[in-house]
Amino acid sequence: HHLAQKDMYLVDHLLILKPIKFLEGELIHDLLTIFVRGSLQNYMEFCKANPDYVEKLGLSHELCIEKMRFLTFLSMASDNKEIMFDTMEQQLNLSQDEVEAFLIDVVRTQLVQASIDQIQRKIIIRWSQHRTFGRQQWQQLRDMLERWRENLGTVRNNLQQLTPS
């Protein structure tokens, strides 16, 4: 059970499996979709609408909250190069005192490379793992590789101009 594993965060590959697709419209599919694309707020709303459902599946509600905080943060990190502590407190339901410890835990997962600016109360994202890898991520990868190719061509041309023929 992938959702029960403490260090398993990315489960988007499960949604394309035929047995999982067969479960569309069921609560278990809705819950899995939240873990793939949703936010902590989506998870909390799901739990409010379906009390005790998570525990009936044999999952720890607290562990699921922790995972959803990480996953929500990954989404935030994919969309932003800097995230203010205030934003994290609000979207991740953390107290002011919990933010730095949370960030240290996130960086330890190696799903994010970032530095903490304690003075300005923000985190600066250098790199983050995408929660899902779909069409948009393939397009971003293609664009990045195209820029690299162009830059390498420029470097090659510059080097050719510097070396005598």
Side-chain angles (χ1 to χ4, degrees):
H1 207 276
H2 288 289
L3 297 181
Q5 294 178 3
K6 185 170 176 52
D7 59 350
M8 173 75 71
Y9 294 99
L10 305 177
V11 293
D12 61 317
H13 62 283
L14 297 177
L15 283 182
I16 61 172
L17 299 175
K18 283 185 182 181
I20 302 296
K21 284 186 173 206
F22 183 74
L23 296 171
E24 281 186 37
E26 301 290 328
L27 285 178
I28 187 71
H29 191 275
D30 296 346
L31 182 61
L32 181 60
T33 302
I34 289 170
F35 274 88
V36 171
R37 296 188 195 100
S39 66
L40 176 61
Q41 181 179 349
N42 299 138
Y43 173 76
M44 298 306 284
E45 289 167 0
F46 176 89
C47 290
K48 186 176 180 181
N50 304 285
D52 302 324
Y53 182 73
V54 170
E55 285 83 6
K56 286 178 186 173
L57 291 175
L59 299 172
S60 161
H61 179 63
E62 291 306 314
L63 178 62
C64 287
I65 288 174
E66 182 182 322
K67 278 188 164 194
M68 284 309 303
R69 277 190 181 122
F70 277 61
L71 293 169
T72 302
F73 181 81
L74 277 181
S75 293
M76 294 166 65
S78 292
D79 296 337
N80 304 284
K81 292 297 174 201
E82 294 183 356
I83 305 170
M84 301 304 294
F85 283 15
D86 294 343
T87 304
M88 286 183 275
E89 290 166 16
Q90 179 187 9
Q91 291 189 20
L92 305 176
N93 196 21
L94 294 169
S95 71
Q96 224 176 9
D97 297 336
E98 296 172 314
V99 172
E100 285 188 43
F102 170 78
L103 290 173
I104 291 167
D105 289 341
V106 167
V107 170
R108 280 188 189 142
T109 66
Q110 299 182 347
L111 296 173
V112 175
Q113 292 178 354
S115 56
I116 298 171
D117 183 337
Q118 293 173 318
I119 297 184
Q120 294 187 29
R121 293 186 32 79
K122 66 181 178 181
I123 186 164
I124 300 142
I125 310 295
R126 289 190 300 273
W127 174 87
S128 68
Q129 174 73 44
H130 288 281
R131 284 177 68 179
T132 59
F133 205 88
R135 187 176 200 80
Q136 179 183 1
Q137 288 73 32
W138 281 113
Q139 183 66 41
Q140 288 172 343
L141 179 60
R142 183 185 141 309
D143 294 346
M144 183 179 65
L145 291 172
E146 184 62 33
R147 283 192 305 273
W148 284 0
R149 188 175 68 80
E150 290 169 6
N151 290 341
L152 287 173
T154 302
V155 168
R156 186 184 72 220
N157 290 339
N158 290 342
L159 288 174
Q160 286 174 345
Q161 289 176 4
L162 291 175
T163 56
S165 301

